Amino acid sequence: MAEPPGIAAGDAELTNAGLFERACAVLPGGVNSPVRAFGSVGGTPYFVARGQGAHVWDAEGNRYIDYVQSYGPGILGHAPAAVIGAVVAAAADGTSFGAPTEREVRLATEMCARVPGLEMLRLVSSGTEAAMSAVRLARGATGRNKIVKFAGCYHGHSDSLLAAGGSGVANQGLSGCDGVTPGAVADTVVAPYNVVPDVDGDTAAVLVEPVAANMGLVAPAEGFLEGLRAACDRAGALLVFDEVITGFRLACGGATEFYGVRPDLWCFGKVIGGGLPVGAFGGGRELMGHLAPLGGVYQAGTLSGNPLATAAGLATLAALDGSAYERLEAIAVKLAAGLEGAFGASGVDAVVPRVGSLLGLFFGDGMPRNFDEAAASVASGLYAPFFQAMLRRGVALAPGPYEAIFVSLAHSEADIDATITAATEAAAELA
């Protein structure tokens, strides 16, 4: 069999540039998720060879303090011993069965015990699948078609939810997606974040990121989530929290515990897989009873409840008690203050929003409240040179200005101090 184009026997020692050239021959854009191509920040992407704790090493042996952390799952850092041990043990028993296993029952039980109001859930393989399935369930349970979402909130790449989809499309300079037909989004209404929309009797569900983490980081305004709850109650619509990022990161019970607002449906991912592909959607017992085989809303997946993913998720959640969240927030508080000080010392206008352990970065003198204001910050063009200046100093941020900054329990005082020093020098370059 012929080798793929661009790959020849006896290649010289691998480099990031060499790997990217080879990748472009066999992967569209050289990547399997668009933001990884560095289109928003320029330059050649680094290829991760391995990770440990707060750090990753690229193909050339360069070490970076990593604030990507797989966009959220790395809440314990990379390759934590407890998670790796659980995955290895699970793999020895078999990697996939297409049949029920004990660990999926244990993971669902643990999640329901943590989140107030969550009584049943269905495990899937990604956050996209969770959100897509939650929409189908909401429509099936209510008999209505219309969905309300918010500009800049990303709920995965299913057709009906890509409208004004935040980081998923915004990092590529796109407002939508080719191949999504007008009919696919005909029942999707897009509203501005932090404004309670009109919810009428034709609305099946209102989907929201309780903390918008796909347009940078935008916190919910006071009363916004409560207003959504009240509007849905008046209209008989379902409120759906997309907690793929916030779930089990903000608190033991996610955004529901953090803000005290209870939705009808939740979408989860990231943390509950401990770095392996997983997602989940869930709600009250009666609502979840609409799912097959109990009801008429069909959803299925061969790899749903995968034994390796559930083992990793259980090991991750076992490490996340109240003290863990206190430590995470303390790390984030120190980093946020250090970044603000770095920009202030150089006279660079920038703000560093923080919600719990989630951080963002916006250039400009105002704190964005919605996607339009976040996009105005991005239009300054300062994120790309700051990203590159940090990368040269061994600090890896997300290669797109609409992403969040993720700290982990593995980030040490020395890591944070080194990051602040790098930011001070990078800010001086910008100035």
Side-chain angles (χ1 to χ4, degrees), residues 275-301:
L276 275 72
V278 73
F281 64 102
R285 194 171 305 278
E286 181 180 356
L287 181 56
M288 295 300 288
H290 288 275
L291 277 179
L294 299 178
V297 178
Y298 186 75
Q299 181 279 330

Side-chain angles (χ1 to χ4, degrees), residues 304-316:
S304 296
N306 177 267
L308 304 191
T310 51
L314 282 165
T316 299

Side-chain angles (χ1 to χ4, degrees), residues 275-352:
L276 275 72
V278 73
F281 64 102
R285 194 171 305 278
E286 181 180 356
L287 181 56
M288 295 300 288
H290 288 275
L291 277 179
L294 299 178
V297 178
Y298 186 75
Q299 181 279 330
T302 299
L303 296 179
S304 296
N306 177 267
L308 304 191
T310 51
L314 282 165
T316 299
L317 290 179
L320 296 175
D321 57 12
S323 63
Y325 291 104
E326 292 175 2
R327 295 199 307 275
L328 269 173
E329 185 158 358
I331 293 167
V333 167
K334 179 175 180 177
L335 179 58
L339 291 175
E340 289 171 345
F343 292 120
S346 296
V348 174
D349 287 334
V351 294
V352 184

Side-chain angles (χ1 to χ4, degrees), residues 1-32:
M1 180 179 293
E3 291 181 329
I7 300 178
D11 274 344
E13 184 177 355
L14 294 179
T15 64
N16 292 319
L19 277 171
F20 190 51
E21 181 181 1
R22 291 169 58 181
C24 286
V26 290
L27 302 172
V31 293
N32 284 304

